[in-house]
Amino acid sequence: MIRCLFQLRTGPKTAGALAKALGIRATSLTRLTQGLEALHWTKRRSDVHDRRLVVISLTQKGQEMLADLDFFIHSSAAQAIARLQPAERQDFIHILMRYLDYEAAIRHACD
């Protein structure tokens, strides 16, 4: 997903060009972009000059997510995570995902 967003950072791309840049099949790109659209990070539209082509672009929310990611990549937290051994990183990710699930459930219960 993130690789796809980074490809779109330079501007909208046709589905074919994006699939080629990512090295994936069109059907895989369709599933990928559906997921990104569900997160409101990208949008698809028909090309204004050739309605057979689908153009994919970042939304404002997608641009904000990439900005947040840039901030994290250059943070001390990212540098600390990079020092973990691969198995430790997997454990960290597993625990972090559980934490985020719990936190989301608590937030949802409070709404």
Side-chain angles (χ1 to χ4, degrees):
M1 280 188 161
I2 301 301
R3 285 182 49 232
C4 184
L5 296 176
F6 277 118
Q7 286 292 325
L8 294 171
R9 177 178 260 175
T10 58
K13 292 189 177 16
T14 64
L18 185 56
K20 184 176 181 178
L22 294 171
I24 61 176
R25 295 180 184 182
T27 54
S28 297
L29 180 71
T30 299
R31 285 191 301 274
L32 175 62
T33 56
Q34 286 171 344
L36 292 171
E37 280 186 301
L39 294 167
H40 305 287
W41 291 347
T42 62
K43 61 182 174 184
R44 290 183 290 177
R45 61 176 169 76
S46 295
D47 184 271
V48 293
H49 302 294
D50 185 347
R51 301 204 42 86
R52 295 172 295 172
L53 298 176
V54 174
V55 177
I56 303 165
S57 59
L58 285 175
T59 62
Q60 181 64 34
K61 188 172 179 180
Q63 292 171 358
E64 291 168 0
M65 195 284 303
L66 282 177
D68 290 346
L69 185 60
D70 283 341
F71 177 79
F72 175 75
I73 287 171
H74 301 293
S75 71
S76 59
Q79 293 172 21
I81 291 168
R83 292 182 180 182
L84 295 173
Q85 296 297 316
E88 292 173 320
R89 268 194 295 265
Q90 289 300 317
D91 290 344
F92 177 75
I93 290 168
H94 177 74
I95 291 167
L96 182 59
M97 294 303 289
R98 283 184 53 206
Y99 164 79
L100 292 172
D101 287 343
Y102 293 151
E103 196 270 337
I106 290 167
R107 262 189 298 118
H108 181 71
C110 293
D111 290 341

